[in-house]
Amino acid sequence: MIPVKGKTSSEYQKAVDESLDKDEIKSKTFSFKTDNEKTMIASFPPPNRNVCFAHIKSKECKKALESSKTLGKVRQKLQKISRKSNKSPKFKRYLKKDKRNRKLRVITLKQKIATRCTSTKIMFSSFLPLKPDKEIDPDAAKANIDAINSAMKSSLSLKKFKQIEITNKDVDIVWNVLPTLKILKEGLTRIGSEKYSAGSIVLLFLGKFLKFLGGDEEDRM
């Protein structure tokens, strides 16, 4: 990793050129892979730059999530609840107490991050917690939502509680969307080379994703 002083395209170019010269590989370097941020586009113009496939997929997923008004309302509501749970000691205290009384695992309600589409999956999973490679447990999910609603009712005014109360419809939306978000997050993580070599995993994941999208012929939904 090369630390760059400054954030302009010329400073990035200079840092990379100096590194290539130092390692005597500048003449052998003909392409750069970067994200699709404006500074990177200016620093490494085509045909010397390969765009990051993971960033493209991430942007597409973010746009898809934002295109649904119904899903958008649920995301916004859960975001408000997550923010409230992190900023209100009273709400946090009631939530912790309620979950322990119901013998539920106490986990922090996560907030979505505007620049990361995968954060929606992380946020949804904190409301309907599931273990890796496991299906959502309906009883545990219901108990978790009941605990959150109970904590809000105890710590907020009735008017405020009614505005952000988690309804059965909200739960159904999260329940139906979460499996898709889970596999998208897995794919973006792998394709982005966070844990794997991108070239060795892309086709494998795309095959898995296509199979997932194919659905079940016996499932009418």
Side-chain angles (χ1 to χ4, degrees):
M1 182 178 291
I2 307 169
V4 179
K5 295 180 180 179
K7 297 182 179 180
T8 66
S9 59
S10 59
E11 288 168 322
Y12 276 113
Q13 286 177 325
K14 182 180 179 182
V16 171
D17 285 341
E18 288 177 351
S19 176
L20 295 176
D21 284 333
K22 181 180 178 181
D23 294 325
E24 299 180 352
I25 58 172
K26 189 172 183 178
S27 61
K28 301 176 183 179
T29 305
F30 57 88
S31 182
F32 301 91
K33 183 176 288 294
T34 75
D35 62 25
N36 305 303
E37 188 264 333
K38 291 182 179 179
T39 305
M40 292 296 99
I41 293 174
S43 302
F44 307 99
N48 299 323
R49 184 178 71 92
N50 287 324
V51 296
C52 176
F53 184 65
H55 277 84
I56 294 174
K57 293 292 106 182
S58 179
K59 290 286 186 181
E60 289 177 348
C61 294
K62 181 174 180 291
K63 188 174 181 180
L65 288 174
E66 293 173 347
S67 67
S68 171
K69 292 182 180 180
T70 302
L71 180 58
K73 289 179 181 178
V74 175
R75 293 171 74 206
Q76 186 177 31
K77 178 188 285 189
L78 299 191
Q79 174 75 347
K80 287 180 180 179
I81 296 172
S82 298
R83 190 180 298 119
K84 183 72 66 176
S85 73
N86 284 288
K87 290 187 176 182
S88 170
K90 187 177 181 181
F91 179 26
K92 188 182 294 185
R93 185 170 62 254
Y94 274 110
L95 182 57
K96 188 175 182 179
K97 179 182 177 182
D98 237 302
K99 286 195 172 188
R100 283 182 172 173
N101 288 340
R102 298 168 191 265
K103 297 181 179 180
L104 298 171
R105 185 163 56 100
V106 178
I107 59 174
T108 304
L109 297 180
K110 304 294 195 302
Q111 298 183 57
K112 70 178 180 67
I113 303 171
T115 56
R116 293 178 57 196
C117 77
T118 54
S119 66
T120 295
K121 183 269 174 186
I122 295 171
M123 180 177 72
F124 281 6
S125 293
S126 69
F127 282 82
L128 295 184
L130 68 164
K131 295 180 180 179
D133 301 321
K134 297 287 185 180
E135 297 293 331
I136 302 173
D137 182 339
D139 294 332
K142 182 182 184 305
N144 203 61
I145 295 299
D146 287 345
I148 295 170
N149 277 333
S150 177
M152 288 195 293
K153 192 173 183 179
S154 299
S155 59
L156 305 175
S157 66
L158 182 60
K159 181 180 179 181
K160 185 65 177 177
F161 167 65
K162 287 298 182 182
Q163 290 176 344
I164 58 175
E165 179 183 8
I166 304 173
T167 66
N168 289 334
K169 183 179 178 180
D170 297 332
V171 175
D172 287 342
I173 291 172
V174 174
W175 184 286
N176 290 324
V177 172
L178 196 50
T180 303
L181 294 178
K182 182 181 177 182
I183 194 171
L184 285 174
K185 181 180 183 298
E186 177 189 354
L188 291 173
T189 300
R190 290 183 172 185
I191 293 172
S193 303
E194 184 175 322
K195 296 181 180 179
Y196 307 89
S197 167
S200 67
I201 202 68
V202 172
L203 292 179
L204 178 62
F205 168 73
L206 291 179
K208 179 179 179 180
F209 188 49
L210 288 173
K211 183 178 180 181
F212 173 80
L213 289 177
D216 186 348
E217 292 182 0
E218 297 180 1
D219 184 356
R220 295 182 179 181
M221 294 298 288

